[in-house]
């Protein structure tokens, strides 16, 4: 990396290629900071125009529910655009017969697969993986309808893990976050917002290694709702217990900015994430190769509070390392 901000432990450093011309290297060092590329770990690309995402700081996205062949085409097919973020995806939502989000107008045909029993769950997991899914999404939204029973949920998890894939759960309704954790889900699609979680459960979640995707700003889109306050408090206590939170916005769910969301980052800072933790949350676990985040302007001082770092990070854009070998492409 260049610039004054040191990459914290847990985040892989990036280096500019040796053939980046000296004048480009100097310009970057003098005008901003180069960091590892940022990922939004919860989006629905079929509900937005993704064209502005890279210019607005998002190098990679995890699509958590869409028609498999459509999202596969956006990620790797003929429609894939190198100017767009790198895309990993879950394919269809796996849900109980009649369960969420099968009745939602925004969910197109094929974006939801109903799993009624363990055998259908195994087959549904295989179909998502055959379509190129990097992980599997299961819906546990008890407030909106039926959810997969325990045997079916166990089959989803067991087969996905046997196939080397993680499972992310939409857990909503009393007890569903605990149920997801106890079943062995790897990630929660949302910081739990249905109820305050007990401290013992939060400590167990942190020790168990489950990851929460933040999605705090969907609760009011800048005008915080009671669910926002519940989620924020859960995140605050989860992080204090050593829990892992990753930046995710649920892009496509309401009037969210298409790009880095300053409100989401500010909410994470309000939950106690400082400079190091914010960067870890943004970079995630598998940053895409060949891209970097560039934040113009002077970096905040290490002693500045989290909200200052959040506002600064929200100004990032994405640079392609290969393009930096051309001085004309590094304005």
């Amino acid at each position: 990396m260049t610039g004054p901000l040191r990459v914290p432990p847990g985040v892989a450093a990036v280096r500019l290629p040796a053939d980046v011309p000296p004048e480009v290297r100097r310009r970057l060092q003098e005008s901003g900071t180069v960091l590892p590329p940022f990922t939004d770990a919860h989006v629905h690309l079929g509900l937005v125009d993704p064209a502005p995402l890279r210019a607005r700081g998002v190098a990679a996205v995890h699509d958590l529910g869409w028609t498999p062949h459509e999202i596969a085409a956006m990620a790797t097919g003929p429609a894939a655009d190198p100017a767009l973020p790198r895309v990993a995806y879950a394919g269809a939502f796996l849900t109980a017969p009649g369960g969420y989000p099968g009745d939602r107008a925004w969910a197109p045909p094929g974006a939801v697969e109903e799993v009624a029993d363990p055998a259908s769950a195994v087959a549904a997991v295989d179909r998502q993986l055959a379509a190129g899914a990097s992980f599997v999404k299961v819906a546990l939204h008890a407030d909106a309808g039926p959810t997969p029973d325990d045997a079916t949920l166990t089959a989803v998890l067991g087969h996905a893990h046997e196939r080397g894939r993680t499972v992310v759960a939409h857990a909503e309704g009393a007890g569903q976050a605990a149920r997801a954790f106890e079943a062995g889900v790897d990630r929660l699609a949302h910081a739990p917002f249905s109820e305050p979680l007990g401290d013992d459960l939060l400590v167990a979640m942190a020790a168990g290694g489950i990851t929460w995707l933040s999605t705090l700003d969907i609760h009011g889109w800048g005008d915080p709702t009671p669910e926002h306050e519940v989620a924020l408090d859960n995140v605050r206590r989860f992080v204090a217990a050593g829990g892992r939170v990753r930046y995710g916005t649920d892009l496509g769910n309401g009037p969210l900015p298409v790009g880095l969301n300053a409100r989401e980052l500010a909410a994470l800072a309000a939950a106690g994430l400082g400079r190091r933790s914010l960067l870890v949350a943004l970079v995630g676990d598998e940053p895409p190769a060949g891209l970097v985040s560039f934040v113009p302007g002077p970096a905040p001082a290490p002693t500045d509070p989290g909200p200052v770092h959040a506002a600064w990070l929200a100004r990032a854009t994405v640079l392609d390392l290969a393009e930096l070998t051309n001085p004309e492409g590094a304005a």
Side-chain angles (χ1 to χ4, degrees):
M1 77 173 238
T2 63
L5 186 63
R6 178 171 298 178
V7 174
V11 175
V14 293
R15 298 186 181 281
L16 296 178
D19 55 351
V20 172
E23 63 270 25
V24 175
R25 188 181 301 272
R26 176 180 52 77
R27 190 182 311 154
L28 290 173
Q29 291 174 332
E30 291 178 354
S31 61
T33 302
V34 175
L35 294 168
F38 299 158
T39 295
D40 186 335
H42 187 158
V43 308
H44 298 281
L45 288 183
L47 296 173
V48 298
D49 174 6
L53 280 169
R54 271 186 47 163
R56 297 175 184 171
V58 178
V61 297
H62 295 172
D63 189 284
L64 294 189
W66 204 249
T67 305
H69 72 273
E70 291 184 6
I71 194 63
M74 296 178 71
T76 60
D81 185 342
L84 297 180
R86 309 282 174 81
V87 181
Y89 56 93
F93 291 81
L94 305 188
T95 193
Y100 172 89
D103 63 346
R104 296 306 199 258
W106 53 259
V112 177
E113 278 218 37
E114 295 186 346
V115 291
D117 51 43
S120 62
V122 167
V125 169
D126 283 339
R127 280 191 290 273
Q128 308 321 304
L129 271 53
S134 298
F135 27 78
V136 173
K137 173 80 172 287
V138 62
L140 304 176
H141 189 345
D143 289 344
T147 64
D149 61 30
D150 289 347
T152 303
L153 177 59
T154 297
V156 170
L157 287 157
H159 193 58
H161 290 162
E162 286 175 5
R163 296 289 307 274
R165 302 300 197 278
T166 57
V167 177
V168 56
H170 176 120
E172 185 172 352
Q176 292 302 310
R179 181 186 178 212
F181 167 64
E182 290 162 3
V185 163
D186 303 285
R187 285 180 282 164
L188 294 182
H190 305 278
F193 59 88
S194 297
E195 59 187 340
L197 301 186
D199 289 339
D200 289 347
L201 175 58
L202 291 172
V203 169
M205 284 184 165
I210 192 170
T211 297
W212 293 8
L213 309 181
S214 56
T215 71
L216 296 166
D217 190 41
I218 60 170
H219 306 299
W221 306 296
D223 185 12
T225 64
E227 290 79 8
H228 185 280
E229 298 310 313
V230 170
L232 188 68
D233 180 63
N234 282 334
V235 171
R236 183 181 294 114
R237 292 182 295 120
F238 182 58
V239 168
R244 299 198 322 165
V245 176
R246 295 293 181 260
Y247 172 86
T249 64
D250 200 7
L251 182 63
N253 180 356
L256 296 170
V258 181
L260 288 175
N261 185 337
R263 295 191 305 258
E264 188 72 37
L265 290 169
L268 284 169
L273 277 71
R275 180 178 73 178
R276 174 189 182 279
S277 297
L278 284 170
L279 191 54
V280 170
L282 279 164
V283 172
D285 302 314
E286 296 182 5
L291 302 175
V292 294
S293 298
F294 178 72
V295 189
T303 54
D304 284 336
V308 173
H309 290 278
W312 177 70
L313 288 166
R315 297 164 50 199
T317 190
V318 179
L319 300 180
D320 190 317
L321 287 174
E323 293 177 357
L324 293 180
T325 60
N326 174 9
E328 298 303 317

